[in-house]
């Protein structure tokens, strides 16, 4: 793979930022939203809740001043778990919310118990009935919240709820992902009073209301990491433009350890892949550790590394669904609980494989780019949730990739 690829806005920053428009009236003008299915789904959900949106060429204007409904229906929530991000804003703005419990998904049960525990600490009455979360609160009251684990969307839900609560909310053991900092910046620009975003203690002073603001969504670090790995697995030379190298520190470090040559610029990274990757030990961790969202992609790389690698998945309980698919391509992988031991083979061979979740499908595409012969990935709708124009961007880098008409 050779050439330059431009990174889109971060899906996992765009989703909470979109949900947060429910917190107040006024025009919110969002730029650099990625053109991916999850963003379209979120805008549709906001429309159902009464948030007006006006799509421009380079931005989307949203206005929640006439938002009325407080119910997020199962039909929509089941297609995107991140819909749970409307829970905090609806409760904070309207004093009530009915949100379908997001089901599990391929990578795990994905409980939201910590979101609910935190909202109850802010005075919400939460009932679970018929698969719905029914939340009520005359007015949320600030409180000290300590999260059992640094849940990303849990931290986001509680930070948004705290913006309009009475008094001060402190979130201890908060997630530190860059997407949380991006959301906090947007909320602060709208009059929110937040300090500590990006650290494990976030303090939010409740205010009466939030006004509108403009915001440019941060670049997608997972998309950037995926293209860097496309260069690494094919021994290519790719410049990933409009990304933030500082968001990828542990990923760049591991790719360097595997033998890649990396050149960093302020908003770009250039990676030249080696002829043969060296084996690694990788453990997924919360930010700033190695991101779980790049674990499947890294496993594709290690499948053809020169030796034995170990990848440990510590965030989700079943995020190895790409393993049997990689094995169909000739990978030699043994899974033992949260650990996958990968014995690198000289070459993978193309095969028909099936995507199971967004990031696993990206891993299969990377494997296909490096494999001998043709690989067909089915259920590519998973890819469309989080990757903007994937096949176009890979083709522009010289990848022999095409979307088969009528494929799902
Ligand atoms: C966010 O999911 C991301 N999604 C995920 O990206 C990402 O993989 C994940 O964070 C971890 O980085 C969005 O931001 C929209 P968590 P989230 O709550 O917030 C458990 C992608 O591919 N947990 O940090 O749902 C949970 O089961 C997606 O873009 C509880 O037990 O992840 C998991 O094992 C996939 N109770 C762990 O914590 C809770 O209340 C981390 O989950 C919440 C979480």
């Amino acid at each position: 793979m050779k050439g330059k690829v431009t990174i889109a806005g971060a899906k996992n920053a765009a989703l909470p930022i979109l949900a947060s428009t429910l917190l107040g009236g006024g025009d919110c003008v969002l730029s650099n939203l990625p053109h991916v299915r999850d963003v379209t789904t979120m805008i549709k959900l906001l429309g159902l809740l009464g948030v007006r949106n006006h799509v421009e060429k380079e931005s989307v204007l949203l206005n929640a001043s006439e938002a009325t409904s407080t119910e997020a229906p199962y039909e929509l929530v089941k297609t995107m778990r991140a819909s749970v991000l409307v829970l905090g804003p609806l409760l904070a703005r309207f004093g009530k919310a009915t949100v379908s419990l997001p089901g599990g998904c391929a990578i795990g049960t994905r409980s939201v118990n910590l979101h609910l525990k935190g909202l109850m600490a802010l005075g919400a009455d939460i009932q679970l009935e018929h698969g719905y979360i029914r939340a009520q609160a005359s007015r949320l009251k600030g409180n000290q919240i300590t999260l059992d684990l640094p849940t990303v969307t849990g931290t986001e839900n509680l930070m948004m709820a705290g913006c309009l609560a009475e008094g001060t909310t402190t979130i201890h053991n908060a997630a530190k992902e860059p997407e949380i900092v991006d959301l906090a910046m947007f909320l602060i620009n709208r009059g929110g009073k937040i300090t500590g975003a990006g650290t494990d203690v976030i303090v939010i002073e409740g205010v009466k209301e939030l006004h509108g603001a403009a915001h440019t969504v941060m670049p997608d670090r997972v998309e950037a990491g995926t293209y860097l790995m496309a260069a690494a697995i094919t021994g290519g030379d790719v410049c990933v433009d409009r990304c933030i190298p500082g968001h990828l520190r542990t990923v760049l470090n591991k790719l360097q350890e595997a033998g890649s040559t990396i050149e960093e610029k302020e908003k770009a990274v250039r990676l030249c892949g080696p002829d043969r990757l060296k084996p690694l030990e990788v453990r997924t961790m919360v930010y700033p550790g190695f991101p779980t969202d790049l674990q499947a992609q890294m496993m594709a790389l290690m499948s053809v590394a020169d030796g034995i690698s170990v990848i440990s998945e510590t965030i989700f309980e079943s995020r190895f669904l790409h393993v049997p698919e990689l094995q169909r391509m000739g990978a030699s992988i043994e899974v033992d609980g949260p650990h996958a031991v990968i014995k690198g083979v000289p070459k993978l061979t193309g095969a028909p494989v099936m995507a199971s979740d967004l990031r696993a499908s990206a891993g299969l595409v990377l494997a296909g780019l490096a494999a001998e012969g043709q690989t067909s990935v089915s259920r590519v709708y998973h890819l469309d949730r989080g990757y903007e124009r994937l096949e176009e961007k890979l083709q522009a880098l010289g990848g022999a990739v095409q979307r088969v008409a009528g494929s799902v």
Side-chain angles (χ1 to χ4, degrees):
M1 308 290 277
K2 289 198 183 329
K4 188 161 112 168
V5 61
T6 302
I7 296 305
K11 164 180 88 79
N12 290 350
L15 295 176
I17 284 170
L18 282 164
S20 79
T21 58
L22 284 162
L23 282 168
D27 287 347
C28 292
V29 182
L30 304 179
S31 313
N32 202 33
L33 285 172
H35 299 95
V36 296
R37 209 144 59 98
D38 276 5
V39 166
T40 315
T41 305
M42 180 59 87
I43 292 176
K44 211 162 113 193
L45 171 57
L46 293 174
L48 276 183
L49 297 170
V51 179
R52 279 184 294 109
N53 69 73
H54 180 69
V55 181
E56 301 277 346
K57 193 166 171 322
E58 298 294 318
S59 64
V60 177
L61 182 152
L62 297 111
N63 184 305
S65 47
E66 286 139 40
T68 48
S69 160
T70 58
E71 172 147 355
Y74 173 68
E75 292 63 41
L76 252 178
V77 175
K78 74 179 176 187
T79 66
M80 185 183 65
R81 306 177 19 68
S83 311
V84 74
L85 283 165
V86 301
L87 178 61
L90 285 174
L91 195 52
R93 170 97 181 277
F94 301 108
K96 64 179 180 160
T98 305
V99 177
S100 166
L101 262 173
C105 72
I107 61 179
T109 46
R110 307 292 297 275
S111 164
V112 291
N113 61 319
L114 301 180
H115 299 230
L116 305 182
K117 229 168 111 179
L119 291 171
M120 284 191 275
L122 299 182
D125 169 57
I126 306 260
Q127 301 299 325
L128 299 184
E129 46 196 39
H130 311 301
Y132 275 81
I133 301 163
R134 295 192 191 289
Q136 293 217 324
S138 45
R139 182 160 188 218
L140 293 175
K141 289 191 179 34
N143 202 347
Q144 299 275 342
I145 299 169
T146 300
L147 293 170
D148 295 359
L149 56 84
T151 156
V152 174
T153 48
T155 299
E156 290 163 348
N157 242 332
L158 296 169
M159 187 164 77
M160 290 189 282
C163 279
L164 298 183
E166 199 174 331
T168 305
T169 298
T170 304
I171 306 171
H172 299 277
N173 196 22
K176 302 190 281 191
E177 272 67 6
E179 291 76 15
I180 288 168
V181 177
D182 210 35
L183 170 62
M185 279 163 56
F186 179 50
L187 293 169
I188 290 164
N189 288 343
R190 295 170 60 196
K193 292 192 175 5
I194 300 169
T195 53
T199 76
D200 56 5
V201 180
I202 302 177
V203 181
I204 308 109
E205 298 291 337
V207 294
K208 289 237 25 84
E209 63 172 8
L210 294 186
H211 50 72
H215 185 77
T216 301
V217 173
M218 63 175 256
D220 192 319
R221 59 195 169 98
V222 179
E223 185 192 18
T226 304
Y227 286 104
L228 288 168
M229 290 185 184
I233 198 171
T234 56
D237 177 356
V238 171
C239 177
V240 171
D241 198 17
R242 282 196 8 211
C243 69
I244 301 178
H247 288 167
L248 287 158
R249 201 48 61 213
T250 43
V251 178
L252 298 177
N253 176 49
K254 283 296 171 186
L255 291 173
Q256 227 150 13
E257 226 179 279
S260 307
T261 313
I262 289 177
E263 194 188 321
E264 274 185 42
K265 298 198 181 86
E266 198 208 337
K267 291 201 180 317
V269 178
R270 182 177 173 192
L271 186 145
C272 296
D275 293 341
R276 183 97 193 261
L277 289 159
K278 297 188 185 101
L280 295 173
E281 284 205 22
V282 177
R283 172 181 290 272
T284 64
M285 300 295 279
V286 296
Y287 193 85
F290 190 92
T292 174
D293 289 348
L294 283 168
Q295 179 258 104
Q297 297 90 322
M298 180 54 92
M299 193 175 292
L301 269 62
M302 293 299 102
S303 301
V304 290
D306 183 13
I308 294 182
S309 304
V310 180
I311 295 184
S312 304
E313 172 57 60
T314 73
I315 305 293
F316 289 106
E317 67 267 31
S318 68
R319 202 171 197 176
F320 282 149
L321 295 172
H322 39 285
V323 169
E325 302 307 307
L326 289 170
Q327 287 167 334
R328 290 176 46 71
M329 298 175 71
S332 168
I333 306 172
E334 288 296 318
V335 170
D336 172 14
H339 309 292
V341 180
I342 305 113
K343 188 168 170 304
V345 295
K347 267 277 173 204
L348 294 175
T349 54
V353 291
M354 192 185 299
S356 55
D357 62 272
L358 168 56
R359 306 303 177 183
S361 29
L364 297 177
V365 169
L366 295 188
L369 285 168
E372 215 147 57
Q374 186 178 73
T375 299
S376 62
V377 182
S378 60
R379 299 190 177 178
V380 285
Y381 57 81
H382 288 295
L383 275 170
D384 297 334
R385 299 190 52 171
Y387 285 96
E388 182 186 274
R389 298 182 300 111
L390 179 71
E391 68 270 22
E392 278 169 54
K393 291 187 177 185
L394 290 172
Q395 284 160 3
L397 293 171
V401 179
Q402 55 178 347
R403 182 179 293 259
V404 174
S407 59
V408 285

